[in-house]
Amino acid sequence: MARVFGSGLPSFSTYFYLIVLSKQMGAQYLVPVLSMVDILDKQNKNALIERFTEQFLDLDERSEHMDKLKVAYGSSLLAQGKEIKKAETFLLRALQLQDSKYGEASEVSMRTLMNLGALYAKIGDANSSIKYYTRGLPKQELSEGRDSTFVFHTVYQLGVQYCIIGEYETSKGYFERALALNEKWRPKGVPGIDKAVCSDILENLAAIYDSQGEPEKAAEFNGRAKLMK
């Protein structure tokens, strides 16, 4: 049996055992559960997050923090690329709970909206992806900052999704904003810049300008894309 007392922090298995053992005490135990989820999330241990959070899914969903638990569970499934329909169900229900409790304008739902945007992009539903990314972007800008790497990736995804549905002018605006963000970071050496993503943006802009009868601009962006590789 894992040692509970003594020097150092308890192991994950000990922490898991203690919380599950005390589950009968109810929703108050969701606070340490979500703390452990945050630790695991930083380590990209999505299978453990799934296993950990599913122990508490039968608690009354009106309990405090149940919306966050559902988001964590749905996000872990999405990150693993498994049971996408189940992930969608949990994320949509979490969003309903958050909108009802905090209001649609609250930043609480940001992560839920971003995950739904990613989920619908993954299954090829561009219109739904745009819907959730668009709703989540202002919250993300407030939470993370308008020039953050998180905003960069959301803006890029909106460019991709608008390109898919043929709204090229809107797509171009998002792609150009993403490139402008990249230019701000480059002299600062901010981590998180993705050369592959920037190359993809440039190639997409080249294709858009070419389709709009601007071959010189298309050639310019294609040339810049090659320098990224």
Side-chain angles (χ1 to χ4, degrees):
M1 181 175 175
R3 187 176 61 160
V4 177
F5 302 102
S7 61
L9 295 171
S11 66
F12 171 76
S13 59
T14 301
Y15 202 97
F16 185 92
Y17 173 77
L18 289 173
I19 293 177
V20 173
L21 186 67
S22 305
K23 184 180 170 184
Q24 65 268 24
M25 296 188 71
Q28 71 185 69
Y29 269 82
L30 290 183
V31 174
V33 167
L34 291 168
S35 295
M36 179 56 77
V37 166
D38 285 341
I39 293 169
L40 295 172
D41 188 47
K42 288 180 174 65
Q43 299 171 0
N44 293 315
K45 293 185 176 179
N46 291 292
L48 282 177
I49 292 173
E50 176 196 353
R51 175 180 157 224
F52 193 52
T53 54
E54 69 184 355
Q55 305 297 319
F56 302 89
L57 293 174
D58 59 347
L59 288 174
D60 188 336
E61 67 174 16
R62 293 170 298 180
S63 301
E64 191 75 15
H65 306 302
M66 273 302 288
D67 59 306
K68 294 176 184 176
L69 189 81
K70 288 178 184 288
V71 174
Y73 183 69
S75 301
S76 71
L77 296 177
L78 176 61
Q80 295 176 81
K82 61 187 282 190
E83 298 187 82
I84 298 300
K85 192 67 183 174
K86 191 174 182 180
E88 179 189 20
T89 299
F90 274 90
L91 290 168
L92 286 173
R93 183 55 185 152
L95 184 61
Q96 289 177 336
L97 292 171
Q98 289 168 337
D99 286 348
S100 174
K101 184 171 183 179
Y102 306 106
E104 291 188 11
S106 172
E107 287 182 43
V108 169
S109 59
M110 182 196 73
R111 184 183 176 194
T112 317
L113 292 164
M114 290 298 144
N115 275 284
L116 283 166
L119 185 149
Y120 287 115
K122 187 179 185 69
I123 64 176
D125 185 346
N127 285 302
S128 292
S129 181
I130 289 168
K131 172 185 172 182
Y132 290 107
Y133 273 135
T134 300
R135 188 180 155 194
L137 180 58
K139 301 173 191 285
Q140 191 177 53
E141 290 172 331
L142 284 171
S143 175
E144 307 292 348
R146 285 182 57 84
D147 295 344
S148 73
T149 56
F150 299 101
V151 168
F152 167 80
H153 286 288
T154 301
V155 169
Y156 161 68
Q157 280 297 334
L158 280 165
V160 170
Q161 301 310 313
Y162 274 110
C163 195
I164 288 170
I165 63 173
E167 293 193 21
Y168 300 122
E169 277 301 309
T170 305
S171 174
K172 187 166 68 173
Y174 281 112
F175 282 142
E176 288 176 342
R177 181 181 170 190
L179 284 180
L181 286 174
N182 183 59
E183 289 304 310
K184 282 186 177 181
W185 298 330
R186 196 159 54 171
K188 302 173 187 176
V190 174
I193 299 172
D194 191 326
K195 284 189 175 182
V197 168
C198 289
S199 176
D200 185 65
I201 290 171
L202 291 164
E203 288 175 349
N204 274 290
L205 283 169
I208 291 170
Y209 280 113
D210 190 53
S211 72
Q212 294 176 331
E214 297 187 57
E216 291 182 0
K217 289 284 283 185
E220 175 195 336
F221 282 107
N222 270 324
R224 288 172 63 185
K226 287 176 183 175
L227 293 175
M228 285 278 184
K229 296 179 178 178

